[in-house]
Amino acid sequence: MSELSAATGAPIATIKYYLREGLLAPGERTSPNQANYGDAHVRRIRLVRALLGPGGLDVATAKDVVAAIDSDLPINHVFGIAQRAASVRLTGLGGDDEALARVDELLAGLRIHPSNPGREAAAAVIAAFESTGQRHEPDWYRRSLEAALVVAEADLDMVERRQGRDAQAETVVVGTALGDALFAALRRAAQEHVSTLRYEPVAPVEPDHREHPDVRQH
Amino acid sequence: MSELSAATGAPIATIKYYLREGLLAPGERTSPNQANYGDAHVRRIRLVRALLGPGGLDVATAKDVVAAIDSDLPINHVFGIAQRAASVRLTGLGGDDEALARVDELLAGLRIHPSNPGREAAAAVIAAFESTGQRHEPDWYRRSLEAALVVAEADLDMVERRQGRDAQAETVVVGTALGDALFAALRRAAQEHVSTLRYEPVAPVEPDHREHPDVRQH
DNA sequence: CACTATCGATAGTTACAGTATCCATATGCG
DNA sequence: CGCATATGGATACTGTAACTATCGATAGTG
């Protein structure tokens, strides 16, 4: 077990905790107080740490998600579970009916089922947004959706590159959990880029050889 | 104060807590144990609740952000503070140098400063992603960045529609905090849509009049 | 003038994700 | 052979974060 800890960087007490919580399968027993762990355990711990850390899932949700990987559910079911897991933080906040109606209008033309977790989550976010006194922003919503469709294509393409259900399931899970965080990070970079282009459009003479752009922000 | 509570839905004890934590300015005193609150207080409480709820900020970060609104800092500084606030959950996880190099390669050509919070956050996410045994996915990263540029334009357009620094500052803050959650939600919907189109491409005869599409997932 | 509400301070609660301690065993090295 | 070290499992504890509840003194209200 200390090897597991060394290989993953997770403290032993934490590994025991994951075992207890069912996030990690028990090792192969060799005696009442001895077990062997293999490469699969190392990878699973790294997966769990990615889900709990950057992925932002809680332990109970992460458990559902790893259980889905290990199950024999078809890949689209695994996808649904991963989607719900990634939406947990926003479900149950309940956007009002008006916000739901706006969302349905926005999503008209898309082939989604009303139970899609994004629908309710989007309603909750829009309700919160407009409750702060912000105007209704259909243009912002619509363009966000256009971009979401682009990344959704990229998400599915990535999964299709994997061979076999198990590899696909793992990619679905980690891609869904980490994809949001990745996009948010890239959005930060893109915002600064676009802002700089708009407000400090000093066209570099040699676009590919320029030094650091001007310091902005802070 | 009970009016404040009634108008916002926040319990009185919670409003007192926000006051204590500096998330909310004290009311205008009329006597040692009486104060008047106005519409600004109601809107500020709704803003705080949006930041702490769907926005996912912690109290300390939300405090910085509302302080930025109330300051006289120029709007691009407020933007920087909001960006950092939205990135808090991913900063300090430290992606390794290799991941940082990948991110820099990905962001080459963008006019951003190395201190942009998205840069480090993206490195942390990519490091976590690849640590789980997932392959390096330049295509996925690149297409996510393309989409991020699209929403970044939409973000700035939305801010430009506002008149005056204060209105812009509030839109910057709430848009940055809630934008990530909104996009994540729309991505859930877009994923199901794209998946359905690819794997159940039953072309509807009347695209605008169809009933519920087939139930997928779960 | 009794009653309810308010302010501010302080203390308590809940949920979550670990972290630490104990114990009985089991290797494995000297 | 025998003891130091590590293991698995159970249980208890810690720390953080975001509230939530109670209290005492005071102050408008009917």
Side-chain angles (χ1 to χ4, degrees), chain B residues 148-197:
Chain B
L149 285 162
V150 169
V151 307
E153 298 276 3
D155 290 339
L156 289 226
D157 286 346
M158 173 168 72
V159 173
E160 283 188 8
R161 269 178 234 128
R162 295 291 179 280
Q163 302 292 322
R165 194 215 83 112
D166 289 2
Q168 288 194 336
E170 221 168 287
T171 295
V172 157
V173 161
V174 64
T176 302
L178 296 192
D180 292 346
L182 177 64
F183 184 86
L186 295 179
R187 182 180 194 155
R188 300 287 90 77
Q191 284 169 333
E192 182 179 337
H193 171 70
V194 172
S195 172
T196 302
L197 280 194

Side-chain angles (χ1 to χ4, degrees), chain A residues 65-95:
Chain A
V65 148
V66 300
I69 294 177
D70 295 334
S71 74
D72 54 2
L73 291 172
I75 193 69
N76 61 323
H77 279 227
V78 176
F79 204 173
I81 290 167
Q83 284 204 325
R84 260 158 251 281
S87 309
V88 162
R89 238 198 57 238
L90 296 174
T91 46
L93 306 185

Side-chain angles (χ1 to χ4, degrees), chain A residues 28-88:
Chain A
E28 176 197 347
R29 311 312 301 274
T30 64
S31 75
N33 69 342
Q34 220 66 24
N36 284 332
Y37 304 95
D39 187 53
H41 284 87
V42 174
R43 294 198 309 119
R44 177 55 53 92
I45 288 172
R46 289 206 254 251
L47 172 64
V48 167
R49 300 228 110 193
L51 297 181
L52 298 183
L57 303 192
D58 60 27
V59 168
T61 307
K63 180 183 173 178
D64 292 344
V65 148
V66 300
I69 294 177
D70 295 334
S71 74
D72 54 2
L73 291 172
I75 193 69
N76 61 323
H77 279 227
V78 176
F79 204 173
I81 290 167
Q83 284 204 325
R84 260 158 251 281
S87 309
V88 162

Side-chain angles (χ1 to χ4, degrees), chain A residues 150-172:
Chain A
V150 169
V151 306
E153 298 275 3
D155 291 339
L156 289 226
D157 286 346
M158 174 168 72
V159 173
E160 283 189 7
R161 268 177 236 129
R162 296 290 179 279
Q163 302 292 324
R165 195 215 82 112
D166 290 1
Q168 288 194 335
E170 220 168 289
T171 296
V172 157

Side-chain angles (χ1 to χ4, degrees), chain B residues 66-142:
Chain B
V66 300
I69 294 177
D70 294 334
S71 74
D72 54 1
L73 291 171
I75 193 68
N76 62 321
H77 279 227
V78 176
F79 204 173
I81 290 167
Q83 285 206 326
R84 260 159 251 282
S87 309
V88 162
R89 237 198 57 239
L90 296 174
T91 46
L93 306 185
D96 48 23
D97 290 345
E98 187 187 333
L100 251 187
R102 282 206 213 294
V103 170
D104 284 337
E105 185 185 356
L106 179 65
L107 300 182
L110 265 62
R111 294 194 51 200
I112 62 169
H113 192 264
S115 68
N116 183 289
R119 178 173 169 262
E120 196 191 331
V125 175
I126 286 179
F129 181 78
E130 298 184 5
S131 82
T132 67
Q134 296 295 316
R135 301 208 280 265
H136 182 213
E137 288 284 350
D139 179 70
W140 191 52
Y141 306 155
R142 196 176 34 69

